[in-house]
PDB file of all heavy atoms in Angstrom:
ATOM      1  N   GLY Y   1       0.836  -1.220  -0.008  1.00 93.00           N
ATOM      2  CA  GLY Y   1      -0.009   0.000  -0.010  1.00 93.00           C
ATOM      3  C   GLY Y   1       0.837   1.311  -0.005  1.00 93.00           C
ATOM      4  O   GLY Y   1       2.054   1.267  -0.067  1.00 93.00           O
ATOM      5  N   GLY Y   2       0.174   2.379  -0.076  1.00 90.00           N
ATOM      6  CA  GLY Y   2       0.853   3.677  -0.100  1.00 90.00           C
ATOM      7  C   GLY Y   2       0.138   4.593  -1.073  1.00 90.00           C
ATOM      8  O   GLY Y   2      -0.565   4.145  -2.004  1.00 90.00           O
ATOM      9  N   VAL Y   3       0.272   5.925  -0.819  1.00 92.00           N
ATOM     10  CA  VAL Y   3      -0.410   6.902  -1.624  1.00 92.00           C
ATOM     11  C   VAL Y   3       0.687   7.520  -2.544  1.00 92.00           C
ATOM     12  O   VAL Y   3       1.649   8.153  -2.088  1.00 92.00           O
ATOM     13  CB  VAL Y   3      -1.097   7.978  -0.809  1.00 92.00           C
ATOM     14  CG1 VAL Y   3      -1.687   9.076  -1.730  1.00 92.00           C
ATOM     15  CG2 VAL Y   3      -2.137   7.461   0.184  1.00 92.00           C
ATOM     16  N   THR Y   4       0.459   7.350  -3.842  1.00 94.00           N
ATOM     17  CA  THR Y   4       1.473   7.694  -4.863  1.00 94.00           C
ATOM     18  C   THR Y   4       1.478   9.240  -4.917  1.00 94.00           C
ATOM     19  O   THR Y   4       0.516   9.942  -4.751  1.00 94.00           O
ATOM     20  CB  THR Y   4       1.238   7.089  -6.252  1.00 94.00           C
ATOM     21  OG1 THR Y   4      -0.049   7.405  -6.653  1.00 94.00           O
ATOM     22  CG2 THR Y   4       1.462   5.635  -6.111  1.00 94.00           C
ATOM     23  N   ARG Y   5       2.599   9.800  -5.365  1.00 96.00           N
ATOM     24  CA  ARG Y   5       2.770  11.252  -5.516  1.00 96.00           C
ATOM     25  C   ARG Y   5       3.787  11.561  -6.692  1.00 96.00           C
ATOM     26  O   ARG Y   5       4.394  10.683  -7.222  1.00 96.00           O
ATOM     27  CB  ARG Y   5       3.314  11.791  -4.159  1.00 96.00           C
ATOM     28  CG  ARG Y   5       4.669  11.188  -3.830  1.00 96.00           C
ATOM     29  CD  ARG Y   5       5.124  11.726  -2.449  1.00 96.00           C
ATOM     30  NE  ARG Y   5       6.358  11.108  -2.033  1.00 96.00           N
ATOM     31  CZ  ARG Y   5       6.551  10.506  -0.901  1.00 96.00           C
ATOM     32  NH1 ARG Y   5       5.626  10.215  -0.060  1.00 96.00           N
ATOM     33  NH2 ARG Y   5       7.768   9.896  -0.643  1.00 96.00           N
ATOM     34  N   ARG Y   6       3.771  12.815  -7.058  1.00 97.00           N
ATOM     35  CA  ARG Y   6       4.713  13.252  -8.077  1.00 97.00           C
ATOM     36  C   ARG Y   6       6.116  12.976  -7.654  1.00 97.00           C
ATOM     37  O   ARG Y   6       6.446  13.217  -6.384  1.00 97.00           O
ATOM     38  CB  ARG Y   6       4.496  14.730  -8.328  1.00 97.00           C
ATOM     39  CG  ARG Y   6       5.367  15.250  -9.449  1.00 97.00           C
ATOM     40  CD  ARG Y   6       5.226  16.758  -9.597  1.00 97.00           C
ATOM     41  NE  ARG Y   6       6.017  17.247 -10.814  1.00 97.00           N
ATOM     42  CZ  ARG Y   6       7.369  17.427 -10.815  1.00 97.00           C
ATOM     43  NH1 ARG Y   6       8.018  17.179  -9.756  1.00 97.00           N
ATOM     44  NH2 ARG Y   6       7.913  17.891 -12.017  1.00 97.00           N
ATOM     45  N   ALA Y   7       6.965  12.653  -8.469  1.00 97.00           N
ATOM     46  CA  ALA Y   7       8.304  12.214  -8.097  1.00 97.00           C
ATOM     47  C   ALA Y   7       9.371  12.767  -9.111  1.00 97.00           C
ATOM     48  O   ALA Y   7       9.033  12.875 -10.360  1.00 97.00           O
ATOM     49  CB  ALA Y   7       8.510  10.723  -7.922  1.00 97.00           C
ATOM     50  N   GLU Y   8      10.534  12.965  -8.699  1.00 98.00           N
ATOM     51  CA  GLU Y   8      11.699  13.336  -9.519  1.00 98.00           C
ATOM     52  C   GLU Y   8      12.867  12.527  -9.064  1.00 98.00           C
ATOM     53  O   GLU Y   8      13.220  12.427  -7.897  1.00 98.00           O
ATOM     54  CB  GLU Y   8      11.903  14.825  -9.410  1.00 98.00           C
ATOM     55  CG  GLU Y   8      12.956  15.369 -10.465  1.00 98.00           C
ATOM     56  CD  GLU Y   8      12.906  16.915 -10.594  1.00 98.00           C
ATOM     57  OE1 GLU Y   8      11.963  17.520 -10.022  1.00 98.00           O
ATOM     58  OE2 GLU Y   8      13.758  17.465 -11.372  1.00 98.00           O
ATOM     59  N   HIS Y   9      13.555  11.878 -10.055  1.00 98.00           N
ATOM     60  CA  HIS Y   9      14.665  10.945  -9.691  1.00 98.00           C
ATOM     61  C   HIS Y   9      15.718  10.967 -10.708  1.00 98.00           C
ATOM     62  O   HIS Y   9      15.518  11.268 -11.845  1.00 98.00           O
ATOM     63  CB  HIS Y   9      14.018   9.482  -9.751  1.00 98.00           C
ATOM     64  CG  HIS Y   9      14.964   8.510  -9.346  1.00 98.00           C
ATOM     65  ND1 HIS Y   9      15.261   8.138  -8.046  1.00 98.00           N
ATOM     66  CD2 HIS Y   9      15.681   7.652 -10.121  1.00 98.00           C
ATOM     67  CE1 HIS Y   9      16.112   7.213  -7.978  1.00 98.00           C
ATOM     68  NE2 HIS Y   9      16.481   6.900  -9.258  1.00 98.00           N
ATOM     69  N   THR Y  10      16.962  10.866 -10.253  1.00 98.00           N
ATOM     70  CA  THR Y  10      18.137  10.798 -11.111  1.00 98.00           C
ATOM     71  C   THR Y  10      18.754   9.467 -10.979  1.00 98.00           C
ATOM     72  O   THR Y  10      19.023   8.903  -9.952  1.00 98.00           O
ATOM     73  CB  THR Y  10      19.220  11.866 -10.634  1.00 98.00           C
ATOM     74  OG1 THR Y  10      18.655  13.094 -10.716  1.00 98.00           O
ATOM     75  CG2 THR Y  10      20.420  11.747 -11.532  1.00 98.00           C
ATOM     76  N   VAL Y  11      18.922   8.809 -12.169  1.00 98.00           N
ATOM     77  CA  VAL Y  11      19.406   7.392 -12.329  1.00 98.00           C
ATOM     78  C   VAL Y  11      20.835   7.396 -11.870  1.00 98.00           C
ATOM     79  O   VAL Y  11      21.586   8.286 -12.217  1.00 98.00           O
ATOM     80  CB  VAL Y  11      19.192   6.915 -13.728  1.00 98.00           C
ATOM     81  CG1 VAL Y  11      19.725   5.451 -13.912  1.00 98.00           C
ATOM     82  CG2 VAL Y  11      17.727   6.974 -14.078  1.00 98.00           C
ATOM     83  N   ILE Y  12      21.274   6.297 -11.219  1.00 98.00           N
ATOM     84  CA  ILE Y  12      22.699   6.181 -10.849  1.00 98.00           C
ATOM     85  C   ILE Y  12      23.579   5.953 -12.010  1.00 98.00           C
ATOM     86  O   ILE Y  12      23.052   5.541 -13.104  1.00 98.00           O
ATOM     87  CB  ILE Y  12      22.790   4.937  -9.939  1.00 98.00           C
ATOM     88  CG1 ILE Y  12      22.358   3.645 -10.543  1.00 98.00           C
ATOM     89  CG2 ILE Y  12      22.117   5.140  -8.532  1.00 98.00           C
ATOM     90  CD1 ILE Y  12      22.666   2.367  -9.789  1.00 98.00           C
ATOM     91  N   PRO Y  13      24.827   6.261 -11.987  1.00 98.00           N
ATOM     92  CA  PRO Y  13      25.726   6.125 -13.105  1.00 98.00           C
ATOM     93  C   PRO Y  13      25.907   4.629 -13.427  1.00 98.00           C
ATOM     94  O   PRO Y  13      25.733   3.703 -12.621  1.00 98.00           O
ATOM     95  CB  PRO Y  13      27.038   6.699 -12.619  1.00 98.00           C
ATOM     96  CG  PRO Y  13      26.729   7.473 -11.385  1.00 98.00           C
ATOM     97  CD  PRO Y  13      25.507   6.933 -10.855  1.00 98.00           C
ATOM     98  N   ASP Y  14      26.196   4.406 -14.691  1.00 98.00           N
ATOM     99  CA  ASP Y  14      26.206   3.047 -15.257  1.00 98.00           C
ATOM    100  C   ASP Y  14      27.587   2.476 -14.987  1.00 98.00           C
ATOM    101  O   ASP Y  14      28.545   2.885 -15.631  1.00 98.00           O
ATOM    102  CB  ASP Y  14      25.877   3.087 -16.785  1.00 98.00           C
ATOM    103  CG  ASP Y  14      25.577   1.648 -17.333  1.00 98.00           C
ATOM    104  OD1 ASP Y  14      26.351   0.713 -16.990  1.00 98.00           O
ATOM    105  OD2 ASP Y  14      24.671   1.564 -18.073  1.00 98.00           O
ATOM    106  N   ARG Y  15      27.634   1.531 -14.080  1.00 98.00           N
ATOM    107  CA  ARG Y  15      28.945   0.890 -13.666  1.00 98.00           C
ATOM    108  C   ARG Y  15      29.552   0.047 -14.822  1.00 98.00           C
ATOM    109  O   ARG Y  15      30.779  -0.092 -14.861  1.00 98.00           O
ATOM    110  CB  ARG Y  15      28.855   0.077 -12.379  1.00 98.00           C
ATOM    111  CG  ARG Y  15      27.774  -1.027 -12.497  1.00 98.00           C
ATOM    112  CD  ARG Y  15      27.362  -1.620 -11.145  1.00 98.00           C
ATOM    113  NE  ARG Y  15      26.305  -2.552 -11.226  1.00 98.00           N
ATOM    114  CZ  ARG Y  15      26.449  -3.849 -11.183  1.00 98.00           C
ATOM    115  NH1 ARG Y  15      27.709  -4.339 -10.984  1.00 98.00           N
ATOM    116  NH2 ARG Y  15      25.464  -4.744 -11.334  1.00 98.00           N
ATOM    117  N   ILE Y  16      28.784  -0.448 -15.669  1.00 98.00           N
ATOM    118  CA  ILE Y  16      29.193  -1.257 -16.786  1.00 98.00           C
ATOM    119  C   ILE Y  16      29.770  -0.444 -17.870  1.00 98.00           C
ATOM    120  O   ILE Y  16      30.839  -0.755 -18.508  1.00 98.00           O
ATOM    121  CB  ILE Y  16      28.123  -2.234 -17.319  1.00 98.00           C
ATOM    122  CG1 ILE Y  16      27.540  -3.023 -16.162  1.00 98.00           C
ATOM    123  CG2 ILE Y  16      28.717  -3.136 -18.405  1.00 98.00           C
ATOM    124  CD1 ILE Y  16      28.546  -3.904 -15.381  1.00 98.00           C
ATOM    125  N   VAL Y  17      29.144   0.687 -18.198  1.00 98.00           N
ATOM    126  CA  VAL Y  17      29.676   1.630 -19.256  1.00 98.00           C
ATOM    127  C   VAL Y  17      31.002   2.178 -18.674  1.00 98.00           C
ATOM    128  O   VAL Y  17      31.991   2.277 -19.498  1.00 98.00           O
ATOM    129  CB  VAL Y  17      28.777   2.782 -19.481  1.00 98.00           C
ATOM    130  CG1 VAL Y  17      29.401   3.931 -20.219  1.00 98.00           C
ATOM    131  CG2 VAL Y  17      27.453   2.239 -20.152  1.00 98.00           C
ATOM    132  N   ALA Y  18      31.048   2.504 -17.367  1.00 98.00           N
ATOM    133  CA  ALA Y  18      32.313   3.020 -16.723  1.00 98.00           C
ATOM    134  C   ALA Y  18      33.492   2.026 -16.916  1.00 98.00           C
ATOM    135  O   ALA Y  18      34.580   2.240 -17.352  1.00 98.00           O
ATOM    136  CB  ALA Y  18      32.165   3.374 -15.375  1.00 98.00           C
ATOM    137  N   GLY Y  19      33.150   0.768 -16.567  1.00 98.00           N
ATOM    138  CA  GLY Y  19      34.147  -0.375 -16.708  1.00 98.00           C
ATOM    139  C   GLY Y  19      34.534  -0.636 -18.180  1.00 98.00           C
ATOM    140  O   GLY Y  19      35.799  -0.833 -18.430  1.00 98.00           O
ATOM    141  N   THR Y  20      33.623  -0.487 -19.107  1.00 98.00           N
ATOM    142  CA  THR Y  20      33.931  -0.701 -20.492  1.00 98.00           C
ATOM    143  C   THR Y  20      34.894   0.402 -20.952  1.00 98.00           C
ATOM    144  O   THR Y  20      35.843   0.090 -21.710  1.00 98.00           O
ATOM    145  CB  THR Y  20      32.608  -0.675 -21.349  1.00 98.00           C
ATOM    146  OG1 THR Y  20      31.754  -1.777 -20.885  1.00 98.00           O
ATOM    147  CG2 THR Y  20      32.953  -0.904 -22.807  1.00 98.00           C
ATOM    148  N   LEU Y  21      34.657   1.611 -20.649  1.00 98.00           N
ATOM    149  CA  LEU Y  21      35.594   2.689 -21.078  1.00 98.00           C
ATOM    150  C   LEU Y  21      36.878   2.565 -20.441  1.00 98.00           C
ATOM    151  O   LEU Y  21      37.952   2.819 -21.183  1.00 98.00           O
ATOM    152  CB  LEU Y  21      34.956   4.077 -20.648  1.00 98.00           C
ATOM    153  CG  LEU Y  21      33.658   4.477 -21.410  1.00 98.00           C
ATOM    154  CD1 LEU Y  21      32.986   5.675 -20.718  1.00 98.00           C
ATOM    155  CD2 LEU Y  21      33.970   4.728 -22.858  1.00 98.00           C
ATOM    156  N   LEU Y  22      37.025   2.154 -19.262  1.00 98.00           N
ATOM    157  CA  LEU Y  22      38.255   1.913 -18.625  1.00 98.00           C
ATOM    158  C   LEU Y  22      39.011   0.774 -19.271  1.00 98.00           C
ATOM    159  O   LEU Y  22      40.231   0.810 -19.472  1.00 98.00           O
ATOM    160  CB  LEU Y  22      38.174   1.606 -17.130  1.00 98.00           C
ATOM    161  CG  LEU Y  22      37.631   2.824 -16.292  1.00 98.00           C
ATOM    162  CD1 LEU Y  22      37.304   2.327 -14.898  1.00 98.00           C
ATOM    163  CD2 LEU Y  22      38.722   3.910 -16.180  1.00 98.00           C
ATOM    164  N   CYS Y  23      38.358  -0.324 -19.661  1.00 98.00           N
ATOM    165  CA  CYS Y  23      38.934  -1.441 -20.521  1.00 98.00           C
ATOM    166  C   CYS Y  23      39.419  -0.963 -21.751  1.00 98.00           C
ATOM    167  O   CYS Y  23      40.514  -1.372 -22.224  1.00 98.00           O
ATOM    168  CB  CYS Y  23      37.954  -2.497 -20.652  1.00 98.00           C
ATOM    169  SG  CYS Y  23      37.707  -3.515 -19.077  1.00 98.00           S
ATOM    170  N   ALA Y  24      38.687  -0.125 -22.510  1.00 98.00           N
ATOM    171  CA  ALA Y  24      39.124   0.471 -23.759  1.00 98.00           C
ATOM    172  C   ALA Y  24      40.444   1.230 -23.560  1.00 98.00           C
ATOM    173  O   ALA Y  24      41.361   1.125 -24.439  1.00 98.00           O
ATOM    174  CB  ALA Y  24      38.035   1.303 -24.360  1.00 98.00           C
ATOM    175  N   ALA Y  25      40.426   2.047 -22.502  1.00 98.00           N
ATOM    176  CA  ALA Y  25      41.730   2.744 -22.228  1.00 98.00           C
ATOM    177  C   ALA Y  25      42.929   1.786 -21.987  1.00 98.00           C
ATOM    178  O   ALA Y  25      43.967   1.976 -22.433  1.00 98.00           O
ATOM    179  CB  ALA Y  25      41.486   3.662 -21.115  1.00 98.00           C
ATOM    180  N   ALA Y  26      42.651   0.774 -21.182  1.00 98.00           N
ATOM    181  CA  ALA Y  26      43.684  -0.219 -20.783  1.00 98.00           C
ATOM    182  C   ALA Y  26      44.179  -0.931 -22.084  1.00 98.00           C
ATOM    183  O   ALA Y  26      45.422  -1.168 -22.194  1.00 98.00           O
ATOM    184  CB  ALA Y  26      43.147  -1.199 -19.817  1.00 98.00           C
ATOM    185  N   ALA Y  27      43.270  -1.315 -22.977  1.00 98.00           N
ATOM    186  CA  ALA Y  27      43.637  -2.012 -24.120  1.00 98.00           C
ATOM    187  C   ALA Y  27      44.477  -1.310 -25.099  1.00 98.00           C
ATOM    188  O   ALA Y  27      45.340  -1.869 -25.814  1.00 98.00           O
ATOM    189  CB  ALA Y  27      42.406  -2.570 -24.845  1.00 98.00           C
TER     190      ALA Y  27
END
C-alpha cells in the first residue's frame, strides 16, 4: 500500500559503461 505522488529521480551512473571505457583505455 501507499499513496502515490509526483516524483523526480536521477538514475545512478552506469557501472558497466564506466568499466567498459576503462577497459578500452587499458587495451
Side-chain angles (χ1 to χ4, degrees):
V3 179
T4 59
R5 56 186 180 234
R6 185 186 184 279
E8 190 163 355
H9 183 82
T10 299
V11 179
I12 60 171
D14 197 313
R15 58 195 173 103
I16 306 303
V17 170
T20 301
L21 292 169
L22 292 169
C23 283

